[in-house]
Amino acid sequence: MASSCSFTSPLCTWLVAACMSFTCGSRDPHQPPSVLRRYTNNKREGLSAARRRKLSAKCGVGGEVVNGSLVSSFSGSSHSIQSLMASCLPFEPCNEYYSSVSSLGFFGDNGFSSFFGSNNSTATLNRRQRRLRLNRVTRSGEAMAVAVQPDEEVTTKKKPHMKQKRVVVTGMGLVSPLGHEPDVFYNNLLEGVSGISEIETFDCTSFPTKIAAEIKSFSTDGWVAPKLSKRMDKFMLYLLTAGKKALADGGITEDVMNELDKSKCGVLIGSGLGGMKVFYDAIEALRISYKKMNPFCVPFATTNMGSAMLAMDLGWMGPNYSISTACATSNFCILNAANHIIRGEANVMLCGGSDAAVIPIGLGGFVACRALSQRNNDPTKASRPWDINRDGFVMGEGAGVLLLEELEHAKKRGAKIYAEFRGGSFTSDAYHMTEPHPDGDIMLGGVQDYHCFS
């Protein structure tokens, strides 16, 4: 005897979830089922009352809509359920659905009666089977919500547009073969004075290159503590001196220093080679014993320690690191320091570069890779990077530091403004480690743009 019972919308819901749990082999597992898209679209658009009545009429005998829910009464047969799935729901189950439910015994000779059972067969089910059937029916609404409910649209709040801050140059400091003051250095450049001469700090007679842009006289008096002067590498001494000179040139006195927000003051001064002299001396001392080594040889050899020592001396706790990009180091440091101010991460930045590689290991290393000029008889004309007859570059040493400041911050304290930083970019000619592009198609890293104030 065929059994009959009434099924509400949760049953249809459970059938939807059951059907959709079986994936057709031809469907891309990474793509959402097309039936899901169609169903959710219909759900969002909503079904009119007339449409619901029309659908309920297709569901079989006794189908009606009560309070917006589909209620259907039908006789149990596999054909009836399959007709319901094809007509009531907005999709056709896949082939694997039919094969899978048949193999699982969902449809018996009497259709659904073998699964849900008739009134007589229900009594024969054990407790576990009844509980399983009850859970599947009563919880089908929850499965429906998980399986086919459309995701709620996530609205992200847009960040408020913030006006970029302007960056100006308010101080300069340097240590160079052409002078240790900005005015002296600039005038020597205009007059064509060359800082290249024969090396005097060590015996270079065994080297094919005997020239460099060497600093002949230099003193740290008033800038660096004597105890540190004996331990530090020259690149760090140049850096500390040039950095403090930039502060003095920018009018950062002790009173102004006390008023600064030191969490918004940073140091970004890089080095191409770092403390080569300290490291070289440590290797020579190690030949005797490690006890003879400078205990600070490792930290003082790193390229970032110059910026770190200057920041510790000043008590500045803003951005503090270094960049090492060979000859373009200072350009990259200036551009990154300006970006910190533009983004509001700092108000004041000391930036630039420092190197001191005119030592035997530095000279020998560049000679070994055939990168240095050997125009020893005419040192003042040896550096000619754009000449077709160039035979290499000339080593140099020194430090150059700029004091960058946010425009309003500089105006507030009445600072002298030399120029405004307008922007820059990171580039590379991507050609050779030491040689420029033969066609002159070269891009120097960290190209800058300044606007000078009158």
Side-chain angles (χ1 to χ4, degrees):
M1 177 178 178
S3 62
S4 63
C5 60
S6 298
F7 294 86
T8 61
S9 58
L11 174 58
C12 293
T13 298
W14 183 85
L15 290 175
V16 171
C19 178
M20 293 179 62
S21 65
F22 299 98
T23 305
C24 294
S26 61
R27 179 178 297 154
D28 186 355
H30 299 288
Q31 296 293 331
S34 59
V35 296
L36 176 60
R37 292 196 298 269
R38 293 199 299 269
Y39 180 78
T40 55
N41 289 337
N42 290 336
K43 185 175 181 60
R44 284 193 296 265
E45 294 172 359
L47 296 175
S48 64
R51 176 61 174 165
R52 289 197 297 269
R53 287 194 297 271
K54 183 177 180 181
L55 288 177
S56 62
K58 293 182 180 181
C59 289
V61 180
E64 61 177 350
V65 176
V66 180
N67 294 330
S69 301
L70 179 64
V71 180
S72 305
S73 299
F74 52 91
S75 299
S77 67
S78 61
H79 178 71
S80 300
I81 289 299
Q82 294 170 12
S83 300
L84 171 66
M85 296 294 293
S87 59
C88 271
L89 301 178
F91 60 86
E92 175 68 19
C94 58
N95 295 329
E96 289 193 14
Y97 167 74
Y98 295 112
S99 60
S100 59
V101 295
S102 298
S103 62
L104 292 176
F106 285 1
F107 298 98
D109 296 333
N110 294 326
F112 256 66
S113 60
S114 62
F115 177 70
F116 291 102
S118 63
N119 295 332
N120 296 331
S121 61
T122 303
T124 62
L125 293 176
N126 58 35
R127 182 179 302 174
R128 182 177 179 182
Q129 290 173 325
R130 288 198 300 269
R131 184 168 59 250
L132 178 61
R133 184 194 67 180
L134 179 62
N135 290 340
R136 284 179 175 174
V137 174
T138 57
R139 296 182 182 179
S140 59
E142 297 178 4
M144 177 67 168
V146 174
V148 298
Q149 280 290 349
D151 294 335
E152 295 182 1
E153 296 183 359
V154 180
T155 58
T156 58
K157 295 182 179 179
K158 294 183 178 180
K159 294 183 178 180
H161 177 71
M162 297 182 64
K163 184 178 180 180
Q164 288 189 344
K165 298 181 181 297
R166 297 171 65 182
V167 183
V168 293
V169 181
T170 57
M172 297 181 289
L174 64 112
V175 176
S176 78
L178 293 182
H180 305 322
E181 299 297 331
D183 292 338
V184 176
F185 175 81
Y186 185 62
N187 290 331
N188 284 333
L189 286 178
L190 294 179
E191 295 174 5
V193 177
S194 175
I196 302 173
S197 61
E198 187 174 346
I199 297 173
E200 298 178 1
T201 54
F202 63 93
D203 184 10
C204 58
T205 55
S206 61
F207 293 93
T209 296
K210 302 175 176 60
I211 58 176
E214 187 181 34
I215 295 177
K216 305 298 182 181
S217 61
F218 170 71
S219 175
T220 59
D221 293 345
W223 303 109
V224 184
K227 186 176 182 180
L228 290 176
S229 296
K230 296 178 181 179
R231 294 178 175 178
M232 287 183 173
D233 190 273
K234 287 197 299 180
F235 101 92
M236 297 180 67
L237 298 177
Y238 295 160
L239 185 154
L240 290 173
T241 302
K244 292 185 176 181
K245 285 185 174 182
L247 288 177
D249 183 62
I252 305 294
T253 62
E254 185 175 354
D255 293 336
V256 175
M257 183 75 74
N258 294 332
E259 296 177 358
L260 293 177
D261 180 2
K262 294 185 178 181
S263 65
K264 288 291 189 101
C265 299
V267 184
L268 209 175
I269 305 176
S271 177
L273 298 172
M276 294 189 69
K277 181 67 165 58
V278 167
F279 201 73
Y280 176 76
D281 292 343
I283 293 175
E284 293 299 314
L286 185 60
R287 298 179 187 276
I288 302 173
S289 172
Y290 73 91
K291 298 180 180 180
K292 300 292 183 180
M293 296 174 63
N294 182 347
F296 301 98
C297 65
V298 172
F300 284 177
T302 59
T303 59
N304 74 299
M305 192 52 62
S307 288
M309 292 298 295
L310 181 55
M312 286 187 285
D313 194 359
L314 301 174
W316 287 12
M317 297 177 288
N320 182 275
Y321 59 100
S322 70
I323 296 173
S324 181
T325 50
C327 302
T329 292
S330 295
N331 279 341
F332 279 98
C333 289
I334 294 171
L335 180 51
N336 275 272
N339 286 336
H340 282 300
I341 297 176
I342 292 172
R343 294 193 296 263
E345 299 166 354
N347 295 328
V348 181
M349 290 290 297
L350 283 171
C351 57
S354 177
D355 264 308
V358 185
I359 57 176
I361 189 173
L363 182 67
F366 281 115
V367 167
C369 67
R370 300 178 181 180
L372 296 182
S373 171
Q374 300 181 15
R375 204 179 297 270
N376 301 315
N377 298 329
D378 194 4
T380 60
K381 297 181 180 180
S383 180
R384 47 177 71 190
W386 316 116
D387 196 312
I388 194 173
N389 295 320
R390 68 184 299 272
D391 64 336
F393 70 88
V394 180
M395 291 183 64
E397 61 181 1
V401 177
L402 294 179
L403 177 63
L404 298 185
E405 198 167 348
E406 196 271 324
L407 177 60
E408 298 303 323
H409 187 276
K411 287 182 177 180
K412 185 177 180 180
R413 69 178 187 88
K416 178 183 178 181
I417 298 176
Y418 289 102
E420 180 181 7
F421 179 89
R422 303 297 294 271
S425 63
F426 299 110
T427 59
S428 171
D429 63 349
Y431 175 70
H432 193 269
M433 289 187 294
T434 58
E435 295 180 4
H437 199 284
D439 296 334
D441 188 14
I442 184 172
M443 299 292 289
L444 298 178
V447 179
Q448 316 293 335
D449 176 27
Y450 295 91
H451 171 69
C452 294
F453 281 68
S454 57

